[in-house]
Amino acid sequence: MLAGWVDQLLGFADRARATIQSSEQYPELIRWARNEGASLLGGDLALAQALTPQLWNQMPLVRCNYSPEPLAEPDPLEPCWCDSGRRYRDCCGAVVLPGPIPSNLMWMLALKEWRGERLRQALDAGKAPPQALLEAAIISAETGQLGRAQRILEAFFRLEDWSAVPEASEPAFELLTDVYQERGFTRKKADFVDQVVDRGPPFLKGAALERICLAFIDADNLADARAAFLRALKTIPDAPSLAYIETMLLLHEGRREEAGSRADFWLRRLSRRPDIDPDYIGFLEVLADDPVAALAEQMVNSEEELAEPLAILQDMLEELPTAEPLDYEYNIEGRLEYHVSERHEDDYTRWQDFFGIQESQDSIHESVTDPWPNAQEWLGELCQHPRWLDSPMVLQELAMALAVRFGNLPWMIPAFFVPIATRLDTWLAPVEAANESFLWQDGDNEVLFRLGLSLVIGMERGDVMRSRTLAQRLLRLDRDDNLGLRELLLEQLLREGDNEQALAMVEALSDDEQHWPGLTIGKALVMYRLGRLDDAEQSIMAVHRYNEHLPGLMMQASPRREVHTDNVPEPGSRGEAWQYRVLMRDQWVSTPGAIDFLKQVMRRLR
């Protein structure tokens, strides 16, 4: 009954809005209600006449500088305001509406329709109810009109008194930060979040700090994530969402047992509150019992359309039988070669019919293509054809797809990456036992190296030691390092602050490897951290000789992004420099004084 009334009300109100905007005169609206509007309410003329004045009273009018021009409700014995000629008590006053009329309905409908200069004027008037702004922004965002949603939400937060923000401000904050992120306005997003933290009331400031904490976690900046979490805990100590965030942070920090105990603490604390959703209490029970499994299950089920195929894939990987041996043989130079079998080639061809993404793994520092928009199709087919998982080529592309989606989430490693890594271990074992050269360029060896790289990337945030061990195994097989594994290893060591091991690594580089910009810029940072400033300066100068773009890109906070292509960037190009900036800049920024030192060296070079 109520749902039917809502549909009728929305249809009637939207047509009433269009009628008002055409003339902004009440008599025109009431004539429309009698002649046409009643048909939208099942022919109920009395309901149409009773509803029309109430909608008019809400409607912002351009001629009134976006204020309404409300009619005074008549006394019972006065003529009815619908101009029927009868007394109010015998006309509209006797009509009982089937349901409520939202107080912001007409503003929301108007904001949904206004465009260009008219929308700007309406927003600048500052008279729109906050809830109307939020609802209009949600509609715009859901229909892909992100610029429009951003404009409306920015008007929502055009506040003089932040202490009196409306109740709708928290969902509006979440939506605006999402829109900024989606549109690539990172500076605007950062400035907005900082403004909320500085000026917002506690509940909104807490939401901003939670968002900051999650962003730091995503960037693997755990020190700042911890600081943001503690500020949020101080600001909104009773927020149920902090239970989930703290558990996630502890898992990222590698403190699995403490994650479980803290989740149990939150469970006991929140269970005493009558206002907490029982479903959330149930989630906390699972979280306290096994944080890794709980967060993995939540991630798998985070999107309804992918939940079932991801769960099936997880079960398939868990139940994978021992990998069948691969075809190896010695080539004429006496080195081992892997050769793709006809069956695996055929399975890969069928997989590609659905996966359809030919990724260039020569570029290891940025994702070329996001495979997840069409994941429902290729995941569904993979679940129907589990034998495809026997093919190293299929596993390589699957591992890279999983790295794109789950690579920075440590709780996803056991479910998705470990089974694939175990399969690769089985395939590499006979090669390592033979103690023979196994080079990238021989036979189809490249396939196994690419699979290894996908796993190194996928596990480097969630299981650093497993990732590092695999990278070192691949380097022992082929020192030529066509995939840039040394650069990944060096970045891992720098991120963990293991400067001595990083130093040992860069000092063991061959003369040719000393010329690789990614390794040299990492060497410069190692030397700076160890106080060897002359050596650091020499390394920076070497980087500048090999690629003059790299020092400048490393110094800039927000340079122009390099458009990515499937082609390997030319040595010395800005594209090459951009890849190394993506890989190494976080470590330069997190090292106190390092960027300033780099700037000083570059000034002397000029």
Side-chain angles (χ1 to χ4, degrees), residues 75-319:
D75 289 331
L77 298 180
E78 288 183 338
C80 188
W81 56 0
C82 75
D83 200 32
S84 64
R86 292 182 293 167
R87 289 180 295 187
Y88 178 63
R89 73 176 186 185
D90 299 324
C91 190
C92 293
V95 176
V96 178
L97 299 181
I101 304 174
S103 60
N104 57 284
L105 176 60
M106 298 306 284
W107 253 111
M108 183 274 290
L109 293 174
L111 288 170
K112 184 171 70 73
E113 293 299 321
W114 279 331
R115 297 288 185 272
E117 183 63 18
R118 179 58 52 81
L119 177 62
R120 185 193 66 78
Q121 291 175 354
L123 295 175
D124 287 348
K127 299 175 182 178
Q131 189 64 31
L133 290 167
L134 175 61
E135 291 174 5
I138 291 173
I139 292 171
S140 297
E142 289 178 345
T143 55
Q145 302 175 77
L146 297 185
R148 180 181 177 81
Q150 177 180 323
R151 193 173 186 179
I152 294 171
L153 288 167
E154 286 174 341
F156 182 102
F157 284 103
R158 205 176 294 152
L159 301 168
E160 294 182 4
D161 182 9
W162 279 79
S163 65
V165 293
E167 292 182 1
S169 58
E170 187 169 344
F173 164 78
E174 298 287 347
L175 182 55
L176 183 53
T177 51
D178 287 343
V179 169
Y180 281 145
Q181 181 71 29
E182 184 74 17
R183 302 191 74 203
F185 292 155
T186 53
R187 289 180 179 174
K188 271 197 166 186
K189 175 185 173 183
D191 291 344
F192 172 59
V193 173
D194 288 344
Q195 183 183 29
V196 171
V197 171
D198 291 341
R199 303 175 60 193
F203 80 94
L204 193 58
K205 179 179 179 179
L209 288 168
E210 288 181 335
R211 180 63 70 104
I212 291 171
C213 178
L214 292 173
F216 280 136
I217 290 175
D218 286 342
D220 209 43
N221 184 349
L222 300 185
D224 286 338
R226 169 63 58 181
F229 170 77
L230 292 175
R231 289 182 67 190
L233 184 61
K234 183 178 180 180
T235 305
I236 46 172
D238 298 322
S241 54
L242 292 177
Y244 166 77
I245 293 174
E246 183 176 19
T247 305
M248 182 190 302
L249 177 57
L250 287 167
L251 288 178
H252 272 276
E253 293 172 337
R255 298 153 68 181
R256 181 169 177 172
E257 290 186 5
E258 189 174 348
S261 64
R262 288 297 295 174
D264 183 64
F265 161 79
W266 282 103
L267 170 63
R268 288 182 280 107
R269 179 177 179 177
L270 296 176
S271 294
R272 296 191 290 266
R273 287 175 47 181
D275 60 322
I276 304 298
D277 188 336
D279 289 342
Y280 191 66
I281 297 298
F283 170 70
L284 290 182
E285 291 173 348
V286 178
L287 193 66
D289 181 60
D290 189 341
V292 170
L295 292 186
E297 181 179 2
Q298 185 199 49
M299 184 59 62
V300 165
N301 292 289
S302 61
E303 291 188 30
E304 185 176 349
E305 65 179 21
L306 296 183
E308 183 176 0
L310 278 174
I312 294 173
L313 174 63
Q314 183 178 347
D315 292 340
M316 287 168 53
L317 292 173
E318 184 179 347
E319 297 169 4

Side-chain angles (χ1 to χ4, degrees), residues 41 52 180 184 224 235 332 346 425 485 513 543 545 558 565 572:
L41 300 173
T52 297
Y180 281 145
D224 286 338
T235 305
I332 194 170
D346 180 62
D425 290 343
L485 290 168
E513 292 165 344
V543 169
R545 287 196 300 273
S558 299
T565 68

Side-chain angles (χ1 to χ4, degrees), residues 505-521:
M505 179 179 172
V506 296
E507 288 185 336
L509 297 175
S510 67
D511 290 342
D512 288 340
E513 292 165 344
Q514 295 278 359
H515 295 171
W516 294 4
L519 293 173
T520 310
I521 195 70

